Amino acid sequence: EFLATPTIPPTTDPPNHAVESNVYNVASLVARNSSQMVVHSLHIFDRKGKTLFSKTYSKAAAIGQQQLRQTSQGPAEEDPVDEQRKLVFGMLFSLRELVGSLAPEGEKGGLHSIRTGASTLHNYETLSGVRFAMYTTNDVGGADASSSSRRSSAAAESNVSVRDALRHIYTELWVESVIKSPLYRPGEMSTVGQRSSGSGGGDAFDIRSTNFEKKLDSFLQSMPWFR
Amino acid sequence: MSKSSASASGHALWSKMPKANTELFALTYGSLVTELIRDYDNADEVNSQLDRIGHSIGVRCVDEFLSKAEVGGINIPPCQTMKDTADVVARIGFRMFLGVSAEVANHAPDGSAFSLFLYDNPLSIFVELPTAEEAAVISGGRGGCDLSKIKYSNIYCGVIRGALEQVNLKVDCRFVRDV
């Protein structure tokens, strides 16, 4: 007898096909429930808006950056990707002010995530002004009405887990590798855009001298939703 | 933050930090100050060097403090007044890093200044600074620095200054009375 949802195969299939399609359908069901997010990139800003660290993970984001570079019309010295990051920081900053003024009296309001049609930007910031911003894809889409409640709770779960991950990146990785490094000086960190300028940032502290990036990569690889 | 919750938070955070031997810590600091005196030979210069060292320590302390509080589930709300800042620094901050709480007193009427009393200073448990007459006798031969003018624990001033700078508070910190 046929069941209403398309994921359960009809029982009249021959045994081999039933097994295969069963496995396939179970897999897709599981995948639909777990977060199928792809992390696009991660940016770290300081209090003044300088980009301290930035890394793209997915191919889509890397392609987007390349296209931006190729099609930019601006002057030759300005890196359009840098400009884009400044815009992101500006947006986060303005939204934080807005959220702060909208929050009810006495409660700490903060900007957790911004969700657009294309992607979601997760934001975590500390009192010392360090801001972590991670771009991911939106959660599992699809027009399956019956699992919409499951989908929204899965979406909520995955939002929370990204925030937890950002918190972990801050407490375990950032503080341990960068802050505790003896060369760290807050006002003089070399920003990402300065990498190509050669000897300009002689005294400034470069994140590459710590193993922050390696630890970050291995942490993100270990996350179940990272691809 | 209420007094008891602040002390409880401080104590909880203190128990999570890796510990070092107090005497080793005090003696290391003492040898650092001795070297500074030998290098600079001028009390004001030594004081400002200690302040500078404290400043770079303080800059790091803030992020560590905030991250350990996050992990420990202790909520540190953003301070509304200077009084809150004073309480957080004295009760939680000092407790977490040094294991001793400082007392807060003497708030200025406009809320722009306060005093911290540190009754048990772990850095100066073996130290006695000479008074002005003794210092004159000691340094008479070398014509060098006036040991009684050295603020032995001036590093604290730097730490507080550096830490508060990271949360957008520019403060001036001075020792009123030392060992």
Side-chain angles (χ1 to χ4, degrees), chain A residues 50-70:
Chain A
K50 287 205 290 192
T51 308
L52 300 178
F53 178 79
S54 164
K55 180 153 182 190
T56 57
Y57 285 100
S58 76
K59 270 190 291 201
I63 292 174
Q65 272 196 357
Q66 246 184 338
Q67 277 179 345
L68 186 64
R69 271 206 184 96
Q70 281 165 0

Side-chain angles (χ1 to χ4, degrees), chain A residues 81-98:
Chain A
V81 178
D82 210 28
E83 291 298 313
Q84 196 184 49
R85 277 194 291 259
K86 284 191 203 156
L87 287 174
V88 169
F89 175 76
M91 174 181 77
L92 288 176
F93 188 78
S94 322
L95 278 176
R96 191 180 85 144
E97 302 294 308
L98 185 68

Side-chain angles (χ1 to χ4, degrees), chain A residues 47 124 128 170 179 181 184, chain B residues 59-60 63-64 67 70 168:
Chain A
R47 228 177 338 154
Y124 179 76
S128 59
Y170 171 60
I179 306 275
S181 149
Y184 169 69
Chain B
V59 155
R60 291 163 172 73
D63 274 306
E64 178 154 6
S67 67
E70 279 284 337
N168 293 325

